[in-house]
Amino acid sequence: MRHVVLFHSVYGRRPAVRAAADRLRAAGHRVTTPDLYGVAATDTVEEGFALLDKIGQDVVLDRARAALRDLPSETVLAGFSMGAGIAGALLAERPDSAGLLLLHGTGGAPDAVRAGLPVQLHLADPDPYDAPDEVDEWEQAMTDAGADLTVFRYPGVGHLFTDPDLAEYAPDAAAALWPRVLAFLAAH
């Protein structure tokens, strides 16, 4: 059983985030899904970016820190897209994290990685927000820094392919992702 904090995408805390948390809870994990916006989720990525701009990245990061305040130091940091970036950004402040679970986006700087840190990335291939050469560079840097990194690329799917309420939903890819996530959490 793991403590997991699961940060939402730029859309906000959508039903897909709650469903993912429920899936992890059903496997015995304790999951926190903070609302980093404090308002209803958006329907489009453009609205999501506009909301992020209005709220501000610093406020979002402060809300993420607040959500972690009472969680054990070995909590797994996880997130969807923008939330993966937030999880990665907080890694330097949480060096005892049990792992970094990145869904639909890279996150984490190599200088924040401790040797052996379990990291799992799930990414569309190609992904419109993470260019393949940038992902390759990030992967090499994380590995060189000592991360125990596993990368899963899902060819021909859209960015947030696990969200059934979006047009880019890819049920086969989503079905492949969740057992990998559960295995990662069980192993680390």
Side-chain angles (χ1 to χ4, degrees):
M1 190 269 311
R2 287 279 173 215
H3 282 86
V4 179
V5 62
L6 185 59
F7 298 115
H8 61 72
S9 74
V10 76
Y11 283 88
R13 193 170 56 179
R14 294 173 54 82
V17 175
R18 290 186 201 96
D22 289 344
R23 181 186 301 262
L24 301 180
R25 287 182 189 113
H29 304 289
R30 293 184 182 175
V31 184
T32 301
T33 58
D35 182 353
L36 303 176
Y37 288 170
V39 297
T42 64
D43 292 323
T44 69
V45 70
E46 294 82 12
E47 291 170 347
F49 279 116
L51 188 54
L52 176 61
D53 287 344
K54 180 180 177 183
I55 294 168
Q57 185 72 21
D58 290 339
V59 170
V60 167
L61 283 169
D62 286 344
R63 289 175 179 172
R65 286 182 186 102
L68 286 165
R69 190 169 297 126
D70 295 328
L71 296 178
S73 60
E74 66 277 1
T75 295
V76 172
L77 303 174
F80 290 94
S81 188
M82 175 196 80
I86 290 168
L90 296 176
L91 183 60
E93 301 171 23
R94 308 249 331 162
D96 295 331
S97 295
L100 185 60
L101 176 60
L102 307 169
L103 306 168
H104 312 292
T106 59
D111 59 353
V113 172
R114 71 171 189 279
L117 176 72
V119 180
Q120 191 176 77
L121 169 66
H122 298 268
L123 195 65
D125 186 22
D127 188 279
Y129 299 101
D130 287 291
D133 58 335
E134 292 173 2
V135 175
D136 292 343
E137 289 174 21
W138 174 87
E139 184 176 353
Q140 187 62 54
M142 292 293 277
T143 301
D144 290 348
D148 178 9
L149 175 65
T150 305
V151 175
F152 294 100
R153 297 181 192 224
Y154 299 81
V157 299
H159 177 65
L160 279 171
F161 62 86
T162 59
D163 189 330
D165 294 326
L166 297 176
E168 58 199 2
Y169 177 59
D172 291 343
L177 178 143
W178 291 113
R180 293 168 173 167
V181 166
L182 294 174
F184 173 79
L185 292 175
H188 304 290

